[in-house]
Amino acid sequence: MRKTLWLNGVALTAVALLSAAGPASATAASSMGSDSTFKVGIDIQPGVYTTTTAASICAWARLSAITDDLSAVLQSGGAINGYVKVEIKPGDIAFYTAGCGTWTLTTTTTVGTGSLGTGSSTMSS
């Protein structure tokens, strides 16, 4: 189940990145409420975000650049009807989300260890 979930998250992330996601619409606030690519430090703050409103399939990715190149994916994951907790680091350039519902900032951070919790997966670059 975890392997399938991870593979689904990577596949959805790849499709989303290759389809050139639209501009982010949030302000540097404490939540993300739509499917988009959010710029870290401009649209959203670094920190630990959680969502409990994931749709039937949720995919997310921490990005080192906003590009169609999959090498920009620092970490990706997903969830099916569940809870996800992700740490967006200050050095990240952007965060992509699709089908995950509203993300809420639970803790701001300046240094960290990466994504945590159920539904997170690591992809090395």
Side-chain angles (χ1 to χ4, degrees):
M1 177 76 161
R2 281 184 156 257
K3 188 172 184 178
T4 302
L5 180 61
W6 181 81
L7 291 174
N8 286 340
V10 170
L12 288 173
T13 300
V15 168
L17 288 173
L18 293 174
S19 67
S25 59
T27 59
S30 59
S31 67
M32 294 175 274
S34 63
D35 298 350
S36 192
T37 301
F38 297 89
K39 295 177 184 174
V40 178
I42 297 170
D43 302 317
I44 58 170
Q45 301 173 38
V48 176
Y49 287 81
T50 59
T51 181
T52 57
T53 58
S56 59
I57 297 180
C58 156
W60 58 265
R62 293 176 42 238
L63 305 171
S64 64
I66 299 175
T67 179
D68 292 343
D69 186 355
L70 292 177
S71 67
V73 177
L74 297 169
Q75 188 171 31
S76 66
I80 298 175
N81 294 327
Y83 170 84
V84 184
K85 184 176 186 179
V86 176
E87 181 176 357
I88 300 171
K89 296 181 179 184
D92 293 355
I93 299 301
F95 181 75
Y96 169 80
T97 178
C100 296
T102 301
W103 292 88
T104 304
L105 180 65
T106 58
T107 307
T108 57
T109 186
T110 54
V111 293
T113 58
S115 297
L116 311 165
T118 306
S120 64
S121 303
T122 301
M123 180 177 175
S124 58
S125 52

